[in-house]
Amino acid sequence: DAKTTQPNSMESNEEEPVHLPCNHSTISGTDYIHWYRQLPSQGPEYVIHGLTSNVNNRMASLAIAEDRKSSTLILHRATLRDAAVYYCILRPDWAGNMLTFGGGTRLMVKP
Amino acid sequence: DTGVSQDPRHKITKRGQNVTFRCDPISEHNRLYWYRQTLGQGPEFLTYFQNEAQLEKSRLLSDRFSAERPKGSFSTLEIQRTEQGDSAMYLCAGKTYNEQFFGPGTRLTVL
């Protein structure tokens, strides 16, 4: 399985934008890039996903590099509720769609 | 609220006892996944069902573990002869299209 590399932790100030990076240099053409987050004491929560083009939804934006070897999750205005572990996951289109989680990035938001 | 419920939320048992967990996805979730998460790690895939058929099992799923999804609705995960290494959060997720919707998890502590 293609792997992802994320920083262990990041800090942000409340109401400022946050850019969470993810490297996936061995990504294959059929791998979708998914982002999930896990708030304390909860199950993971879907954030966004994409294949080649940048994507926006009500929670976040996903910027995908042209060569697809990296991506960035953008939270436009961090709130205290966004403090969580963020997982960048490559999901092959054929693999039963199970998710292979790495260590993720722990985002801390300061008031 | 994802609509996926798990019961119990917490279970403390003695080594060697059997335990059973239940997951109730919403009716539209034709696929159901089980994951295990230990402290400080991302969730690890255990097994998944397409309706009532169990289609894939991880090597993590030893012969002490068994999962069922009768009638393609709720699912159960049983662990026989529990060991201290089984202590973890057990998460289930339902899926329709691209997103997996996780339940809150069952935290198992084996003494």
Side-chain angles (χ1 to χ4, degrees):
Chain A
D1 289 344
K3 287 192 171 181
T4 62
T5 304
Q6 299 178 254
N8 288 335
S9 64
M10 290 183 65
E11 270 191 6
S12 171
N13 293 317
E14 197 177 10
E15 299 190 4
E16 290 186 355
V18 182
H19 291 234
L20 296 163
C22 181
N23 287 321
H24 28 79
S25 58
T26 59
I27 191 171
S28 74
T30 56
D31 287 341
Y32 284 79
I33 302 161
H34 282 243
W35 284 81
Y36 281 74
R37 72 179 185 182
Q38 189 170 20
L39 279 64
S41 302
Q42 295 188 25
E45 172 188 32
Y46 169 84
V47 178
I48 201 167
H49 80 281
L51 184 61
T52 56
S53 304
N54 295 343
V55 185
N56 300 295
N57 67 19
R58 62 176 178 80
M59 287 182 71
S61 296
L62 176 60
I64 301 173
E66 196 169 333
D67 63 5
R68 301 213 320 130
K69 293 186 176 182
S70 65
S71 60
T72 302
L73 179 71
I74 303 165
L75 307 179
H76 296 287
R77 285 183 71 223
T79 69
L80 296 178
R81 197 192 171 278
D82 291 322
V85 178
Y86 286 78
Y87 296 100
C88 169
I89 300 164
L90 300 183
R91 182 183 66 77
D93 193 35
W94 53 270
N97 303 137
M98 76 281 290
L99 299 173
T100 302
F101 290 81
T105 296
R106 180 171 298 278
L107 175 66
M108 292 165 280
V109 180
K110 296 183 291 184
Chain B
D1 183 8
T2 63
V4 179
S5 61
Q6 292 188 245
D7 184 68
R9 295 291 308 276
H10 302 273
K11 177 72 177 178
I12 299 174
T13 191
K14 291 183 179 179
R15 189 177 57 181
Q17 298 293 305
N18 299 343
V19 294
T20 300
F21 311 139
R22 178 179 171 123
C23 172
D24 284 87
I26 64 174
S27 58
E28 290 83 1
H29 291 160
N30 56 351
R31 287 193 175 182
L32 185 146
Y33 300 79
W34 283 99
Y35 294 84
R36 180 175 71 185
Q37 184 174 26
T38 53
L39 206 59
Q41 305 296 316
E44 297 171 292
F45 167 75
L46 292 178
T47 188
Y48 89 95
F49 292 83
Q50 172 86 25
N51 299 315
E52 66 274 12
Q54 187 174 17
L55 295 187
E56 188 158 346
K57 292 192 283 188
S58 160
R59 281 172 287 181
L60 292 175
L61 213 66
S62 76
D63 57 5
R64 295 185 298 105
F65 288 70
S66 62
E68 294 183 342
R69 194 183 183 197
K71 302 179 184 177
S73 55
F74 71 92
S75 176
T76 59
L77 178 68
E78 181 184 15
I79 308 174
Q80 296 183 326
R81 305 180 303 281
T82 52
E83 301 172 356
Q84 288 185 323
D86 297 331
S87 295
M89 176 75 82
Y90 290 84
L91 295 157
C92 81
K95 180 177 181 294
T96 49
Y97 300 107
N98 289 302
E99 303 175 35
Q100 290 193 18
F101 295 89
F102 284 81
T106 295
R107 180 166 296 284
L108 173 67
T109 302
V110 182
L111 302 176

